[in-house]
Amino acid sequence: MNFKDKTILVIGDSILDETIVGRAVGCSLETPTMKLEETAREMSFGGAANVVENILALGGSCRYITPVGDDEYSHHFDNWLDQNRQNLHFSPLNTYRLNNVKTRIWSTKGDERYKYLQINRTDNTPVAFRIPTLHYHMEGVDAIVLVDYGLGMFGEVDYIIKEASIVGVPVIASSQMSDRENRYHLFEKADYLCMNLSESQAYNKPFNGCITLGELGCTFQDSKSKHTHAGFKVKAVDTCGAGDAFLAALSLCVPQVDAEALAFCNAWAALSTTKLGTTPPEIGELDELL
């Protein structure tokens, strides 16, 4: 699939993912604490920013609106824009809050690898203003994706969806529930919802859009049709970010979502689980799997 002429507007909560990999070298003499010798460290983009990364990796262009905090992590967004300036139009909403960071520490011993510890730094102070020049950002895009992680971006949603309907652009919404209360009621007026099985069970209402089922595939339904795909089996290393990868692929397919499109979305999401952290797959891997 060729997406070089596709442009997606993504609005949502960013998360910076810090991945630290260490080699197990024994236990502390003082306490029963595992000791790791650091072998690698990298910073990648999670949350809505990971959706953007996957759209860019698939060859599409992206406009991105997200809060950016005022702290020692903010320079990563500047570096990110420099690397993707050709296909990324970045419009940060500058705030005085902290950036949201997840630090994951992985332990390796031989060929074995597992997540040893995760530390979350969260600032969900609400963004208390509407997005300036929103209509301008929507002009000429093929779809709008709202990515909610409950981190303060979506205190008010209806005006975004209403503006999208005026310009005639479909809206896809994803509100990742995790261990908090379901928030899909905020996005009911979107054209499509994308949620996993537990989220759909908590929502417990009919809707247009996708239910993702992990390695078992997904289902899609709207007012005209219903499609399913059984998914792909791969050797998963880290499932973090698979939902974002699926959402990115789906945004490039709407409104023409059929069984072939679902196979593409499932393949891309499956490949994302073969990477450590939120690094997107490569197109060559997608061609091989399909």
Side-chain angles (χ1 to χ4, degrees):
M1 295 182 176
N2 189 336
F3 301 115
K4 68 177 183 180
D5 295 326
K6 287 267 190 174
T7 301
I8 309 299
L9 169 61
V10 177
I11 304 173
D13 298 305
S14 288
I15 299 171
L16 288 166
D17 284 315
E18 184 176 35
T19 300
I20 301 172
V21 181
R23 180 175 58 87
V25 293
C27 291
S28 170
L29 295 176
E30 298 83 5
T31 60
T33 305
M34 182 186 298
K35 295 192 296 186
L36 302 178
E37 179 182 358
E38 183 177 320
T39 57
R41 180 187 294 251
E42 70 172 25
M43 186 71 71
S44 55
F45 289 87
N50 188 36
V51 177
V52 174
E53 286 270 61
N54 279 274
I55 291 171
L56 296 176
L58 284 165
S61 296
C62 201
R63 300 177 189 174
Y64 186 37
I65 302 173
T66 189
V68 174
D70 182 17
D71 59 23
E72 69 275 19
Y73 288 95
S74 60
H75 72 277
H76 289 288
F77 289 95
D78 296 329
N79 296 339
W80 185 48
L81 177 59
D82 289 340
Q83 295 167 8
N84 298 285
R85 193 171 294 275
Q86 182 176 354
N87 295 317
L88 174 62
H89 184 275
F90 184 36
S91 300
L93 301 175
N94 296 309
T95 72
Y96 291 104
R97 70 183 198 176
L98 299 175
N99 288 298
N100 293 289
V101 182
K102 291 184 178 180
T103 300
R104 297 177 176 89
I105 301 173
W106 290 78
S107 172
T108 62
K109 186 174 183 180
D111 294 331
E112 298 296 321
R113 175 189 293 156
Y114 67 93
K115 187 161 64 174
Y116 177 58
L117 180 67
Q118 177 170 318
I119 303 171
N120 293 352
R121 192 189 79 169
T122 302
D123 186 345
N124 56 4
T125 304
V127 177
F129 51 83
R130 292 193 173 193
I131 300 169
T133 62
L134 179 62
H135 186 92
Y136 162 77
H137 292 293
M138 290 182 174
E139 289 182 349
V141 302
D142 296 283
I144 298 168
V145 185
L146 308 181
V147 190
D148 173 43
Y149 275 83
L151 299 175
M153 180 70 220
F154 293 108
E156 190 177 355
V157 181
D158 285 353
Y159 83 99
I160 300 176
I161 298 174
K162 182 178 180 180
E163 193 71 23
S165 68
I166 292 173
V167 297
V169 180
V171 176
I172 311 159
S174 175
S175 180
Q176 305 224 6
M177 188 171 63
S178 187
D179 56 354
R180 58 181 172 78
E181 184 179 353
N182 188 290
R183 288 164 50 91
Y184 275 99
H185 63 280
L186 299 175
F187 302 92
E188 289 180 339
K189 295 181 181 179
D191 298 282
Y192 307 98
L193 301 179
C194 185
M195 58 183 82
N196 62 33
L197 182 60
S198 61
E199 289 166 347
S200 68
Q201 290 170 341
Y203 184 64
N204 197 28
K205 297 179 184 178
F207 64 91
N208 289 342
C210 264
I211 299 176
T212 59
L213 306 169
E215 65 177 11
L216 299 179
C218 68
T219 65
F220 175 87
Q221 183 170 341
D222 61 15
S223 59
K224 299 179 181 178
S225 61
K226 181 176 181 179
H227 302 282
T228 63
H229 186 268
F232 295 89
K233 293 191 181 300
V234 296
K235 185 176 181 180
V237 172
D238 184 4
T239 58
C240 175
D244 298 328
F246 183 95
L247 182 62
L250 180 66
S251 72
L252 291 165
C253 295
V254 296
Q256 306 299 324
V257 180
D258 53 19
E260 182 180 2
L262 292 185
F264 157 71
C265 296
N266 277 333
W268 189 252
L271 287 170
S272 76
T273 70
T274 65
K275 312 292 181 182
L276 190 62
T278 55
T279 303
E282 297 180 2
I283 291 293
E285 298 173 286
L286 178 65
D287 292 339
E288 184 177 346
L289 182 59
L290 290 176

